[in-house]
Amino acid sequence: MRKLGRLGIMLLLVIALPAALFAQKGAIKGKVVDAKTGQALPGANILIVGTTMGTTSNQSGAFEIGNLLPGRYTLKVTYIGYVTTTKDVRVRPGKTTPVKFTLSQTVMLANAIEVIADRAKERETPVAFTDIPKQELEARLGSRDIPLVLNTTPSVYATQQGGGAGDARINIRGFDQRNIAIMINGVPVNDMENGWVYWSNWDGVSDATASIQVQRGLSAVNLATASIGGTMNIITDPTKQEFGLRYKQEFGSGNFLKETVSFNSGLINGKYAFNALLVRKTGDGIIDKTWTDAWAWYFGASWNVNQNNRLELYALGAPQRHGNNFYKQNIAVYSKSFAEGLADYDTAAFSKYHEAGRTFNQNWAPVSPSYKGKQMWNGHMTDRYNPNFINERENFFHKPQVNLNWYTKLNEKLNVYSVFYYSGGHGGGSGPLGKLTRIPWVAGQKWYKSAPWRWDWDATIATNRGTNGGKKEKFESIGILRNSRNNQWTLGAISKANYRISDNLKTTFGIDWRTAQIEHYREVRDLLGGNFYIDKSNEYDDTPQKQKKTYGDKIAYFNTNTVDWFGTYVQSEFKTNLMSVYGMVGYSMIKYGFTDHFRTSKTLPDGSPDVNSPEYKLKSNWITGIQTKGGASYRLTENIDFYGNAGFVSKVPIFDNVIDDRTGSMANNPKNEKFTDFEAGVNAYFMNRKLYTKADAYYTIWKDRAKSIGIVNQDGSEGIVFITGMNALHSGVEMEGGFRPMSLFSLSGSFSIGNWKFTDDVKGVYKSYDRQQHTVSLDTVNYYVKDLKVGDAPQTQFAFVGTLYPITGMRAQIVYRYYMRNYSYWDPFSRTNPKDRTQSWRAPDYGVLDMHFSYKLPIAFNGVNIRVFAHVYNVLNSLYIQDATDNSRYNAWDHDHDADDAEVFFGPPRFVNAGFSISY
């Protein structure tokens, strides 16, 4: 609190400085536009040469630098894909000097990286999108996961979930990450099996990011990859950086420490540029034992081979390990008083759920330091992270990605952009296996039926050391910690050919090829005092000796999954000074393979496994999908434009909906999900572009969300059938805008309201073979979901951002976000009772206030600049629920969809991130 008080006093003093202090100073006000089209270039960097002063252009290309002493200044403007431009400007006392920059595209078709990443352009691309330039990223993100900087964007909801580093998730328009295309430098990074994104794999990417663009809805992405909720484009560009060295040191709550070192060469001889970055991050975590121990690295390089060819190389990775807070809890476990304040919480539940505190984490417990047992992870035996406790859940992973981009101009009309990439992941997460002791222990009660409980590591270790008695080498562990491993590699190529038919008409053809192999297995991580663990999962282990497993041995399952993907598309785009129109058709095909290394492909006459037979394998047929979309934008005046778009997607199913790698069964006729989307919007600028607003409405129909059901085929083999018809509607209205009446302050905000609900009850009939009766039966399932709200994100939200620029180089900002109508996550296929039409539990509305401050000190030593910064998150220390699951299997009181039946994650308490950077 003392630090927070000092910061507040400092801000008040700055704001209260006498106006006379600035009376004789002048300002520079201008605009940055494309030299050919005259269109605004938002996010351009404007720097006063020889100083630390600068800014970026806003959505309309406008910028302003105030509080300048009279004199002559040289302004330099840089923008991706455009020639760097400088101008000399004279500032007079008390006057504002106007200036206009018209930037020309570079010879190499200009914005090549933006073409690869399908970046939308202001007043041209007919989609709803928001840009986050690097300055805003640094101003607000701190050292949190990247998605959290997007919470001021309409219809975007991101949380840290349990609070572990890299455990964030993002939701756009009610769709989770499986239906959002996440791209880094034009390459999709969603998991090839299930579409998820694990942000711990990209820890440190924010430090190398030049900008982020979020396109909501079907977006303008013209890859065959389907993006239903939206697309998140992250750009790291070596040619955008000026020459320089930078060191950044950060401190924060939970003993957080982070050091970042970066180097940028700038453009050398007009041909070469490269940059490199190294990050080291440690901390104990804000939530109990969600510690982090991480590195991150990045390298980028570009080579302008000649005026028609350019090569770029990007490589990044983030080797890390961190403690998880994996389990949500009943509300009363975190705060009894909060639960009491909810009208729909039955206080009788207090007899079962006992308060453990806001930062409670069930996934760790103390252990006697006299236990010296080591742990296995990533192929190495190491000491435990801490001798005084053991994390049940720990994540460790490193997934480097390497892109080689080639841009070539074949002639004045034809250009080709290609990306060849590799990604290889290595790691996993830990968890319990077997019989472990917990506190409290209630005989005969399921392990999750008493909360809060903790693992009793010392008791488990004692049990493992005494199970068989006698000599130590005979000790069998009946409860252990295991690693669930996920080792993978992906190879891919994306190539786009742009052919300019005329000045107004352009056609693009593209291909997208990927192949991936993923290993899934469990291994012994910690024997917890014993010498071996008995595992009989491997059918090839046909002797008791083979079934004895020790550190690093594979247990439980061992599968190799393969994914082969090919997509292609064609798109045409027509542009004039007043309008732009585009249409796109895409086709994709996917094939899955599965090998069970623990299962034999044949059995002996007595039904036992034939250990001399090959491993069990499955391979699906090619599954195809299509998408088509198009849109138009019309510039009514210089300050107002309208747009609309529509599209249809038939999306191929994920791996788990084709092959069940637990049972080794496969669907004979897997079903595609189908999406139809309509969107319309308007962008407007007022008061000489000091005020802007963007508004849009969307209407998305999600059809045939499928439920896979395991059956027995008539030949006795196991299979999968699909129940389809689970349909949902996602519609809503979104607005965002900004106002900067003078150089001293700016205001911006966003608002969105959605109506996301299921539209129909579902009935399905399927055939299943009865092994005992030798008959085929018809089974029926019904799901009662009509008019129930889609959960997992607030359907109404708004954000307000106020920024002060009291003196040159100083920036103070407040961000306030408010969320309403946050229905808990629930599984629509769980609603099988026709009398249960109750909405999932609605979490309380809540607001969060954050503060950000930065100051470039007005001193420089031979080009060395110093900046200090501070972030205070949840300034008011508000207690709120950010994630909730309805009618929890583990933590529900009476299963009637109210507060005492939800399991939740509270938002983090107040925490601070501060530091300084030194740059040259």
Side-chain angles (χ1 to χ4, degrees):
M1 287 298 295
R2 182 177 298 176
K3 291 181 179 178
L4 184 60
R6 290 176 179 173
L7 178 59
I9 292 171
M10 182 178 179
L11 291 174
L12 288 173
L13 288 174
V14 169
I15 295 170
L17 287 174
L21 190 63
F22 308 105
Q24 296 303 312
K25 293 185 177 181
I28 300 173
K29 184 177 182 181
K31 187 175 181 181
V32 184
V33 299
D34 183 290
K36 184 176 181 180
T37 66
Q39 296 301 307
L41 297 178
N45 291 309
I46 301 98
L47 177 71
I48 298 179
V49 177
T51 75
T52 61
M53 294 180 289
T55 186
T56 58
S57 57
N58 63 17
Q59 298 290 337
S60 59
F63 69 90
E64 187 170 353
I65 304 175
N67 305 321
L68 297 174
L69 293 172
R72 300 194 70 85
Y73 297 90
T74 299
L75 267 63
K76 179 167 65 174
V77 178
T78 57
Y79 194 76
I80 293 177
Y82 285 78
V83 177
T84 297
T85 305
T86 60
K87 278 189 178 183
D88 291 332
V89 179
R90 183 179 179 182
V91 175
R92 294 179 172 84
K95 301 292 184 181
T96 297
T97 303
V99 63
K100 185 175 182 180
F101 285 89
T102 54
L103 272 57
S104 300
Q105 295 185 350
T106 58
V107 176
M108 263 307 303
L109 197 70
N111 46 357
I113 190 67
E114 292 190 358
V115 172
I116 287 291
D118 299 311
R119 300 273 286 192
K121 294 183 179 180
E122 198 71 37
R123 307 196 71 209
E124 184 174 309
T125 310
V127 298
F129 69 93
T130 303
D131 283 311
I132 310 293
K134 188 174 186 67
Q135 287 77 3
E136 287 300 314
L137 196 67
E138 288 195 339
R140 297 204 305 263
L141 183 61
S143 287
R144 300 174 299 160
D145 295 347
I146 288 181
L148 299 177
V149 78
L150 304 176
N151 269 332
T152 58
T153 305
S155 297
V156 175
Y157 187 63
T159 76
Q160 194 66 36
Q161 299 196 96
D167 290 342
R169 57 100 177 189
I170 185 172
N171 186 297
I172 301 179
R173 290 183 175 177
F175 296 97
D176 67 19
Q177 295 177 154
R178 292 180 179 86
N179 285 307
I180 301 171
I182 312 295
M183 304 169 68
I184 298 179
N185 291 327
V187 174
V189 297
N190 299 71
D191 186 88
M192 286 284 286
E193 289 181 295
N194 60 27
W196 200 251
V197 177
Y198 302 92
W199 292 100
S200 57
N201 298 339
W202 313 110
D203 198 4
V205 171
S206 61
D207 296 281
T209 297
S211 65
I212 299 174
Q213 184 180 89
V214 176
Q215 299 178 30
R216 301 184 295 279
L218 292 183
S219 76
V221 171
N222 51 22
L223 291 176
T225 300
S227 53
I228 313 303
T231 301
M232 179 177 173
N233 291 300
I234 301 172
I235 295 295
T236 65
D237 182 47
T239 60
K240 185 183 177 93
Q241 308 293 337
E242 299 297 320
F243 171 81
L245 290 167
R246 190 185 190 202
Y247 171 78
K248 182 166 71 171
Q249 175 68 65
E250 296 175 71
F251 313 88
S253 304
N255 292 321
F256 179 82
L257 286 174
K258 180 180 176 183
E259 297 85 33
T260 304
V261 179
S262 59
F263 170 73
N264 310 309
S265 71
L267 195 60
I268 303 172
N269 296 329
K271 281 184 170 292
Y272 312 101
F274 63 90
N275 61 357
L277 175 142
L278 182 66
V279 178
R280 176 69 171 129
K281 184 173 77 171
T282 60
D284 294 338
I286 300 168
I287 307 301
D288 291 346
K289 303 305 183 289
T290 54
W291 49 268
T292 182
D293 184 3
W295 295 81
W297 57 272
Y298 170 80
F299 177 79
S302 67
W303 176 27
N304 292 331
V305 182
N306 52 45
Q307 65 177 2
N308 294 325
N309 289 274
R310 187 168 88 211
L311 294 174
E312 292 180 349
L313 176 69
Y314 299 94
L316 66 152
Q320 60 82 36
R321 56 188 295 216
H322 69 273
N324 287 122
N325 177 25
F326 200 74
Y327 302 150
K328 295 185 179 77
Q329 301 292 335
N330 188 279
I331 296 171
V333 172
Y334 292 122
S335 174
K336 181 179 177 181
S337 62
F338 189 95
E340 285 178 321
L342 299 174
D344 58 343
Y345 191 96
D346 185 351
T347 56
F350 292 157
S351 63
K352 176 181 177 182
Y353 304 108
H354 308 289
E355 187 172 36
R358 181 177 185 174
T359 62
F360 174 68
N361 175 9
Q362 197 161 280
N363 298 124
W364 75 277
V367 68
S368 171
S370 63
Y371 173 58
K372 303 298 182 183
K374 294 183 180 295
Q375 295 184 333
M376 168 69 72
W377 63 281
N378 266 357
H380 302 286
M381 289 288 293
T382 64
D383 293 329
R384 303 190 305 275
Y385 175 78
N386 189 293
N388 299 308
F389 65 84
I390 294 177
N391 287 85
E392 170 211 346
R393 297 281 182 169
E394 176 185 323
N395 177 271
F396 54 95
F397 216 83
H398 184 204
K399 189 179 181 180
Q401 179 164 312
V402 181
N403 296 8
L404 178 62
N405 297 4
W406 175 31
Y407 314 128
T408 181
K409 180 179 179 181
L410 298 179
N411 55 49
E412 292 302 320
K413 292 188 175 183
L414 180 61
N415 302 273
V416 178
Y417 310 80
S418 300
V419 180
F420 307 93
Y421 61 92
Y422 162 83
S423 178
H426 190 76
S430 65
L433 188 64
K435 298 179 180 179
L436 292 88
T437 305
R438 62 178 176 86
I439 304 172
W441 173 256
V442 180
Q445 190 179 81
K446 289 186 179 295
W447 61 270
Y448 54 79
K449 289 298 184 182
S450 179
W453 55 265
R454 288 191 185 277
W455 298 111
D456 190 338
W457 301 127
D458 290 333
T460 299
I461 291 167
T463 299
N464 287 342
R465 285 176 171 171
T467 300
N468 291 329
K471 296 181 180 180
K472 183 177 180 181
E473 61 268 16
K474 293 184 179 179
F475 292 164
E476 174 192 344
S477 294
I478 62 172
I480 65 170
L481 290 177
R482 48 78 184 168
N483 291 323
S484 294
R485 296 297 301 271
N486 183 319
N487 300 335
Q488 56 183 268
W489 57 261
T490 301
L491 290 174
I494 298 170
S495 188
K496 302 179 179 184
N498 286 2
Y499 182 71
R500 188 171 296 278
I501 299 173
S502 67
D503 289 342
N504 302 113
L505 182 62
K506 180 181 71 173
T507 297
T508 303
F509 170 79
I511 59 172
D512 173 15
W513 167 81
R514 297 173 236 165
T515 184
Q517 178 176 292
I518 309 98
E519 283 186 342
H520 295 287
Y521 59 87
R522 285 182 172 177
E523 66 181 6
V524 177
R525 174 186 178 86
D526 192 335
L527 287 169
L528 295 175
N531 288 335
F532 61 89
Y533 178 75
I534 299 296
D535 180 77
K536 300 179 181 180
S537 303
N538 189 345
E539 293 182 351
Y540 291 99
D541 289 343
D542 54 350
T543 67
Q545 188 60 37
K546 289 181 180 180
Q547 293 169 359
K548 288 185 176 181
K549 305 298 180 180
T550 187
Y551 289 95
D553 287 345
K554 295 179 175 64
I555 55 176
Y557 57 81
F558 178 24
N559 307 325
T560 297
N561 299 339
T562 60
V563 183
D564 292 293
W565 163 282
F566 179 79
T568 184
Y569 76 92
V570 61
Q571 175 174 303
S572 292
E573 187 175 0
F574 178 78
K575 295 181 184 179
T576 68
N577 290 333
L578 292 179
M579 66 180 300
S580 61
V581 181
Y582 88 98
M584 176 265 194
V585 176
Y587 175 85
S588 59
M589 52 195 299
I590 199 165
K591 180 171 68 174
Y592 298 115
F594 166 75
T595 301
D596 188 338
H597 302 289
F598 278 6
R599 180 177 176 181
T600 63
S601 57
K602 297 180 180 179
T603 58
L604 298 173
D606 62 358
S608 61
D610 182 356
V611 296
N612 295 312
S613 66
E615 297 168 335
Y616 181 81
K617 295 184 177 182
L618 293 171
K619 183 165 287 189
S620 75
N621 295 321
W622 285 100
I623 308 166
T624 61
I626 62 169
Q627 65 170 316
T628 179
K629 56 188 176 182
S633 173
Y634 181 73
R635 291 174 282 281
L636 181 65
T637 69
E638 184 181 354
N639 296 317
I640 299 175
D641 63 273
F642 297 91
Y643 66 87
N645 64 69
F648 171 79
V649 176
S650 176
K651 183 183 177 184
V652 295
I654 62 174
F655 185 96
D656 290 342
N657 281 348
V658 178
I659 296 176
D660 186 338
D661 55 11
R662 295 170 301 169
T663 63
S665 55
M666 183 169 65
N668 293 322
N669 187 24
K671 304 295 184 182
N672 287 5
E673 295 175 329
K674 302 169 185 66
F675 302 84
T676 305
D677 182 71
F678 302 92
E679 183 178 294
V682 58
N683 304 314
Y685 305 87
F686 308 98
M687 300 175 62
N688 198 25
R689 293 185 174 260
K690 292 179 180 180
L691 172 66
Y692 79 92
T693 183
K694 303 165 72 173
D696 66 89
Y698 62 92
Y699 188 90
T700 305
I701 302 170
W702 182 1
K703 285 192 173 183
D704 289 339
R705 180 173 176 179
K707 169 71 173 179
S708 58
I709 298 177
I711 62 167
V712 177
N713 297 315
Q714 194 158 357
D715 62 3
S717 64
E718 294 181 322
I720 299 174
V721 296
F722 283 87
I723 302 299
T724 60
M726 186 67 72
N727 304 330
L729 170 66
H730 293 239
S731 61
V733 176
E734 302 166 336
M735 293 185 66
E736 61 181 320
F739 181 46
R740 189 167 184 177
M742 61 182 66
S743 61
L744 288 177
F745 74 93
S746 66
L747 303 173
S748 63
S750 65
F751 170 79
S752 58
I753 181 168
N755 180 27
W756 314 327
K757 65 179 182 179
F758 292 93
T759 59
D760 305 285
D761 290 337
V762 180
K763 180 178 180 179
V765 179
Y766 63 95
K767 294 180 180 180
S768 184
Y769 179 71
D770 189 315
R771 285 193 178 102
Q772 294 182 344
Q773 301 296 325
H774 303 288
T775 58
V776 177
S777 61
L778 286 177
D779 293 329
T780 301
V781 291
N782 290 278
Y783 304 108
Y784 303 94
V785 298
K786 182 177 172 60
D787 294 328
L788 295 183
K789 298 291 186 181
V790 174
D792 207 27
Q795 300 203 18
T796 301
Q797 60 189 72
F798 69 82
F800 168 84
V801 181
T803 309
L804 290 174
Y805 309 88
I807 59 175
T808 301
M810 182 178 288
R811 173 178 174 141
Q813 185 178 81
I814 61 169
V815 178
Y816 183 73
R817 298 173 284 118
Y818 197 80
Y819 300 100
M820 298 176 285
R821 300 168 61 231
N822 187 5
Y823 293 93
S824 300
Y825 169 81
W826 60 284
D827 179 3
F829 294 102
S830 67
R831 293 297 188 104
T832 57
N833 183 353
K835 296 181 180 180
D836 185 5
R837 296 281 183 172
T838 307
Q839 296 286 356
S840 69
W841 180 65
R842 175 175 160 179
D845 302 342
Y846 73 91
V848 182
L849 177 68
D850 300 330
M851 293 180 59
H852 310 283
F853 172 81
S854 67
Y855 184 39
K856 285 185 178 180
L857 300 182
I859 53 176
F861 306 99
N862 296 321
V864 176
N865 302 294
I866 302 174
R867 184 174 71 94
V868 296
F869 57 88
H871 310 277
V872 184
Y873 299 102
N874 192 5
V875 173
L876 303 178
N877 203 27
S878 301
L879 190 63
Y880 62 93
I881 292 172
Q882 63 178 11
D883 301 283
T885 298
D886 182 58
N887 264 21
S888 165
R889 172 188 173 188
Y890 304 109
N891 293 297
W893 172 245
D894 53 10
H895 296 276
D896 59 355
H897 307 290
D898 54 14
D900 51 69
D901 300 310
E903 61 177 16
V904 306
F905 281 137
F906 275 74
R910 179 173 52 237
F911 66 100
V912 176
N913 173 268
F916 64 89
S917 65
I918 303 173
S919 58
Y920 173 76

